[in-house]
Amino acid sequence: MTGKVMHYFAGGNTAKGFYSLYDSNLAGLERLFILKGGPGSGKSTIMKKIGQEWLDKNFDIEYLHCSSDNDSIDGVIIPALKIGLVDGTAPHVIEPKAPGAVEEYVNLGSAWNSQQLASERASIIRLTNARSKSFEKAYALFSEALKIHDEWEDIYKANIDFAKLNGLTNKLIEGFYRDIVLNKKADVRHRFLGAATPKGAVDFIPNITEGVQKRYFLKGRPGSGKSTMLKKIAKAAEQRGFDVEVYHCGFDPHSLDMVIVREVGIAIFDSTAPHEYFPSCEGDEIIDIYKTAILPGTDEIYADQIKDVSSRYREKMNEATASLAKAKELHDELEKIYVKAMDFTAIDDIRSDIHEQIIERAQAIDSQTILH
């Protein structure tokens, strides 16, 4: 028997640049290992191995996936032990709250051949600079795409019946929470629903919503009020003391795409492209905002304008994705240089040392449980 694993993104390549929600997900940890090291130094491998070891021991695990490399992770959390490991190299800026007491830096650079890397200095600088430029280009293109998306939203914003939209939102809030108020402070976690990656848009919705009793699929158009509705639903849950998982849009981090309140068994999410899903489990329900709150005939009246905007939007998004893919190619070249200079026996020793520290913490927690 093994534990359960949850997959999500806590950082993303967005229209606002690289955007981090790491602090929200690392909050409350009593031990955090911050891994420092170059590309290919084994950070992701260490975290995957430790995650699997504790998964096999029947502990639930959270994997924080890397938005710039589809095969890598940027973090692993063992919630029951309040322990996490995270990639602390750029662009992940992890600000220690209590260095030494909570956070511990782990220098994987101690396992590389500095002399060998020095001989590759020119190539490392060239590839690093080129990779940075590819990311900058991708972010600029995402920003342009967001401006075009705003044009798309304006069409529907001008044709919303706000009274009907607000009525639907209030009806959902009342149905979800009734008059229940919990005598505790809500634990609110901010994550990304999905991410823009070198392979396009990726999400883990089936995994994240697994076990939720009822899923609501929001269908609508850009600017039809889905994010505003989700913000109100999340706020209402927090005010009542319910723990809330708030999932931001991987393209526009200021917009919301999903809210999960497990204490009442509900998940409600924007189920339109690029994360379009349809009911597949008992209890799944579609909420059609276009049908409920958008003036009839809007799609038809603005058909030509919508076609033009959506075409320009897709073009910019495709260009941005191509730039992320180019950054990944350059990163892979950098990795090859570092991998040749790494002593992976030493890296495995570092992983073993971390594993032993986690075991000690698990034993200490178990002892406290027995004592109490």
Side-chain angles (χ1 to χ4, degrees):
M1 188 176 178
T2 61
K4 293 181 180 178
V5 59
M6 179 183 280
H7 300 274
Y8 60 86
F9 292 97
N13 300 306
T14 79
K16 307 296 181 183
F18 181 82
Y19 201 93
S20 175
L21 295 172
Y22 279 85
D23 283 352
S24 177
N25 293 285
L26 302 178
L29 295 183
E30 295 179 1
R31 195 75 177 137
L32 178 63
F33 297 91
I34 303 174
L35 308 184
K36 295 283 192 178
S41 57
K43 299 184 296 293
S44 179
T45 302
I46 285 175
M47 292 186 284
K48 284 179 179 177
K49 284 184 176 179
I50 286 177
Q52 188 60 52
E53 285 166 349
W54 289 89
L55 196 61
D56 292 341
K57 294 177 188 291
N58 202 29
F59 282 79
D60 291 345
I61 298 295
E62 295 176 9
Y63 282 128
L64 286 61
H65 285 255
C66 176
S67 57
S68 300
D69 183 346
N70 296 76
D71 298 321
S72 291
I73 61 168
D74 282 341
V76 62
I77 295 172
I78 312 171
L81 301 180
K82 296 186 177 181
I83 282 183
L85 290 84
V86 66
D87 182 344
T89 54
H92 320 102
V93 180
I94 311 297
E95 294 293 343
K97 306 295 187 295
V102 175
E103 298 90 359
E104 177 181 332
Y105 285 104
V106 180
N107 178 23
L108 304 187
S110 62
W112 64 39
N113 185 326
S114 299
Q115 195 171 1
Q116 188 173 333
L117 289 177
S119 70
E120 297 278 5
R121 181 175 178 274
S123 294
I124 291 172
I125 292 173
R126 174 180 59 80
L127 290 167
T128 301
N129 289 339
R131 181 185 60 177
S132 295
K133 287 178 181 177
S134 289
F135 275 120
E136 287 169 12
K137 184 179 179 182
Y139 298 148
L141 288 163
F142 281 133
S143 181
E144 289 178 43
L146 182 58
K147 290 173 184 174
I148 297 170
H149 198 268
D150 288 343
E151 293 179 43
W152 200 348
E153 289 191 349
D154 288 342
I155 296 169
Y156 292 97
K157 283 180 179 177
N159 290 278
I160 291 181
D161 184 328
F162 285 102
K164 288 182 178 178
L165 183 63
N166 290 334
L168 174 60
T169 304
N170 292 334
K171 182 181 177 183
L172 288 169
I173 290 172
E174 186 178 329
F176 293 161
Y177 314 127
R178 299 182 294 281
D179 56 356
I180 301 170
V181 178
L182 302 181
N183 187 27
K184 68 178 179 65
K185 188 177 188 299
D187 182 0
V188 182
R189 301 286 168 156
H190 292 269
R191 297 161 180 164
F192 284 105
L193 178 72
T197 80
K199 292 183 179 178
V202 173
D203 68 71
F204 298 106
I205 290 173
N207 169 264
I208 293 169
T209 61
E210 186 179 354
V212 175
Q213 293 169 349
K214 191 167 180 63
R215 302 187 301 174
Y216 295 85
F217 297 64
L218 292 179
K219 301 292 183 180
R221 310 292 190 271
S224 59
K226 299 186 295 295
S227 176
T228 301
M229 173 187 281
L230 291 170
K231 287 175 181 176
K232 289 180 178 179
I233 288 169
K235 190 66 179 175
E238 183 181 358
Q239 289 172 339
R240 288 163 172 76
F242 291 110
D243 296 341
V244 193
E245 294 167 36
V246 180
Y247 291 84
H248 294 244
C249 171
F251 170 57
D252 177 5
H254 297 157
S255 181
L256 298 191
D257 275 348
M258 178 161 70
V259 172
I260 297 180
V261 187
R262 297 187 191 272
E263 287 164 316
V264 294
I266 64 103
I268 180 167
F269 65 98
D270 180 342
S271 184
T272 56
H275 33 78
E276 186 172 24
Y277 287 84
F278 294 93
S280 60
C281 300
E282 187 178 347
D284 285 354
E285 183 177 325
I286 287 176
I287 298 174
D288 192 333
I289 293 180
Y290 181 83
K291 189 183 293 185
T292 302
I294 302 295
L295 298 180
T298 299
D299 280 348
E300 292 75 18
I301 294 167
Y302 296 93
D304 290 341
Q305 193 175 337
I306 291 167
K307 183 179 179 181
D308 170 63
V309 171
S310 63
S311 176
R312 287 188 285 123
Y313 171 73
R314 280 195 301 272
E315 184 180 345
K316 288 296 178 189
M317 291 297 285
N318 289 338
E319 288 179 37
T321 300
S323 289
L324 286 181
K326 182 62 180 176
K328 174 65 168 61
E329 285 178 25
L330 294 162
H331 184 83
D332 289 346
E333 290 299 311
L334 269 171
E335 277 197 346
K336 289 175 185 176
I337 294 172
Y338 278 88
V339 165
K340 288 177 183 176
M342 294 300 299
D343 177 354
F344 285 102
T345 301
I347 292 294
D348 202 47
D349 289 341
I350 291 172
R351 183 198 61 77
S352 295
D353 179 61
I354 294 172
H355 182 62
E356 287 301 318
Q357 290 188 55
I358 297 174
I359 287 175
E360 287 177 13
R361 173 160 181 81
Q363 290 173 338
I365 289 174
D366 190 47
S367 298
Q368 289 171 6
T369 303
I370 292 169
L371 287 172
H372 291 88

